[in-house]
Amino acid sequence: MQLYNNLSAKERAELIEQAGKERLTISFYKYAKINNTEIFRNHLFLAWDQLEVLGRIYVANEGINAQLSVPAENFEPFKNHLDTISFLENVRLNIAVEHDNFAFLKLKVKVRNKIVADGLNDASFDVTNKGVHVNAQKFNELIEDPNTVLVDMRNHYESEIGHFKNAVTPDVDTFRESLDLIEEDLREHKEDKKLVMYCTGGIRCEKASAYYKHKGFKNVFQLEGGIINYVRQIEAEGLENKFLGKNFVFDERRSERISDDVIANCHQCGNPADLHTNCANEACHLLFIQCEDCKEKMENCCSTNCMEINQLPFEEQKTLRKGQGNSNDIFKKGRADHLPFKKDLRNIFETMKPK
Ligand SMILES: [Zn+2]
Ligand SMILES: [Zn+2]
């Protein structure tokens, strides 16, 4: 039964009809052995460029990870092209809930060592021995089970604005960190608990589930197609939505609202807010949550210091930045001592355990 994870021809036709001249925002991934990544990359670029596809696509020997947007009227030829590639035939396409014609502004197809920077040594475990994939309905049942531990495999700035009810949300900056933390906290429960995991589109759970099985977890489940696909299913099948807040996405939209709950706070004043912004000071660019009031008062900056720099003429800012290096790395995402209301999520695990 593939009904739940692929749009039927009828659903696709309706979607395209609704979208009209608009673009559809789509993501997909596939782990598959790709030998000549450079040739494959060029092949994709030439074909998709003609179809006016925009987006960010990573190609590696281990597979492909794609986030892109396609003009609705070119969706069928795009799908047909995917089907001509043996390992992408009928690949599950995660189609966004909210579309934005400006989600991506360029087509970038890059060859990388891995399709997700997961920090894992794949040779040390069997990456194909994955967890059980579950659809939204089964997932909803599983997470009500008192024997289940539900784990969010994303990073802190993602789960902060939205996550499943009762999920453990590790306070981590990287996927690798998360893996160790969860294993450590659940050491005693590798056999008796059901480990149920989810991420944005499912790709991180593909490796994580195999890793945990390798580490001795007996009951490992993963949400098929992640949050993006979950939302489509609950809408299509009229299921209860158990996701609170917003789904963080990696394009210009930054997030999709899934429920009306605002579960985060402005990092500057503490009022309810769940809109991420990048500090306007080019040399800072910190990703943090800022409410409308603070946005105005702080001129889109994370601190008065950044505000002052941002007010300087551009040339002067450039001189200041010289030799400073690029501070915009992942470890700065949503972390700074001067943001008093950035919550520490690390202890959530402890409060979760006795259900
Ligand atoms: Zn505020
Ligand atoms: Zn700043």
Side-chain angles (χ1 to χ4, degrees):
M1 277 278 285
Q2 284 290 308
L3 275 177
Y4 57 83
N5 64 31
N6 269 323
L7 290 184
S8 69
K10 184 165 167 280
E11 285 171 309
R12 273 214 311 266
E14 278 167 10
L15 193 71
I16 294 165
E17 167 104 10
Q18 278 164 21
K21 289 275 171 197
E22 306 285 288
R23 302 183 75 92
L24 299 172
T25 310
I26 295 169
S27 61
F28 70 89
Y29 66 86
K30 186 78 184 185
Y31 280 102
K33 186 94 196 97
I34 301 172
N35 289 318
N36 198 326
T37 48
E38 203 60 47
I39 289 180
F40 182 63
R41 181 256 161 226
N42 293 342
H43 171 72
L44 289 184
F45 188 90
L46 289 174
W48 291 358
D49 191 42
Q50 284 191 356
L51 297 173
E52 295 167 64
V53 173
L54 301 174
R56 197 186 317 110
I57 294 98
Y58 296 130
V59 171
N61 291 127
E62 66 174 8
I64 176 169
N65 183 11
Q67 316 208 27
L68 46 84
S69 81
V70 188
E73 56 189 7
N74 288 348
F75 182 78
E76 284 302 330
F78 172 73
K79 178 80 178 76
N80 292 340
H81 176 255
L82 284 182
D83 288 342
T84 63
I85 301 163
S86 58
F87 59 87
L88 293 180
E89 193 179 353
N90 288 322
V91 66
R92 186 196 55 249
L93 299 178
N94 286 331
I95 301 181
V97 191
E98 295 170 0
H99 297 285
D100 178 343
N101 289 352
F102 303 99
F104 297 100
L105 305 172
K106 288 178 188 165
L107 175 61
K108 289 183 187 169
V109 188
K110 292 183 176 173
V111 174
R112 285 271 170 100
N113 286 330
K114 287 193 158 201
I115 55 174
V116 178
D118 54 26
L120 287 168
N121 174 10
D122 293 359
S124 65
F125 66 106
D126 180 4
V127 294
T128 64
N129 183 21
K130 295 181 268 194
V132 179
H133 288 73
V134 295
N135 62 14
Q137 189 188 351
K138 177 78 183 152
F139 181 83
N140 274 358
E141 282 165 29
L142 267 177
I143 66 179
E144 292 302 328
D145 185 335
N147 245 335
T148 288
V149 179
L150 176 62
V151 178
D152 191 318
M153 293 310 301
R154 301 170 303 154
N155 298 328
H156 69 95
Y157 53 88
E158 299 170 85
S159 55
E160 189 175 5
I161 57 167
H163 54 74
F164 281 100
K165 262 178 239 173
N166 296 332
V168 171
T169 55
D171 196 18
V172 294
D173 294 291
T174 66
F175 176 71
R176 189 73 196 79
E177 233 185 300
S178 200
L179 286 175
D180 291 339
L181 198 71
I182 291 160
E183 197 211 340
E184 200 164 304
D185 280 0
L186 290 177
R187 186 147 287 171
E188 309 289 300
H189 300 286
K190 288 186 177 180
E191 304 202 353
D192 63 330
K193 292 278 183 197
K194 290 175 185 159
L195 179 58
V196 182
M197 61 183 80
Y198 68 91
C199 61
T200 316
I203 190 169
R204 284 177 269 191
C205 295
E206 295 285 321
K207 284 274 178 77
S209 68
Y211 181 79
Y212 286 125
K213 284 178 86 172
H214 164 73
K215 288 286 179 184
F217 286 87
K218 295 285 179 247
N219 311 294
V220 182
F221 301 87
Q222 64 199 86
L223 177 59
E224 164 101 41
I227 301 159
I228 300 174
N229 198 37
Y230 174 88
V231 175
R232 282 227 160 259
Q233 288 174 58
I234 54 162
E235 282 174 3
E237 297 166 30
L239 301 170
E240 187 192 344
N241 171 34
K242 293 177 187 280
F243 189 92
L244 303 170
K246 287 161 104 181
N247 182 25
F248 188 98
V249 294
F250 295 89
D251 60 56
E252 300 294 329
R253 296 171 301 147
R254 291 227 174 93
S255 62
E256 295 187 321
R257 180 160 295 288
I258 312 295
S259 87
D260 292 334
D261 310 86
V262 176
I263 65 165
N265 300 89
C266 170
H267 289 167
Q268 289 173 322
C269 73
N271 283 336
D274 58 6
L275 189 65
H276 273 108
T277 186
N278 279 110
C279 176
N281 173 12
E282 284 294 325
C284 173
H285 218 58
L286 179 74
L287 182 78
F288 69 109
I289 298 173
Q290 191 174 42
C291 73
E292 289 299 327
D293 290 348
C294 291
K295 194 181 264 307
E296 209 181 308
K297 199 169 77 196
M298 300 296 294
E299 299 170 13
N300 297 303
C301 288
C302 78
S303 65
T304 43
N305 188 31
C306 283
M307 207 162 94
E308 280 159 20
I309 295 173
N310 202 42
Q311 285 161 352
L312 297 172
F314 183 69
E315 283 305 313
E316 234 172 287
Q317 287 187 42
K318 248 172 96 180
T319 321
L320 269 178
R321 280 210 292 279
K322 273 219 172 93
Q324 294 256 334
N326 185 6
S327 59
N328 179 27
D329 59 51
I330 55 164
F331 298 104
K332 270 195 85 182
K333 273 185 181 150
R335 299 217 193 266
D337 294 337
H338 62 267
L339 294 175
F341 292 95
K342 166 66 190 167
K343 273 188 223 153
D344 183 3
L345 304 171
R346 201 173 290 272
N347 293 324
I348 290 181
F349 223 121
E350 285 311 309
T351 58
M352 273 294 310
K353 250 191 258 170
K355 268 190 133 175

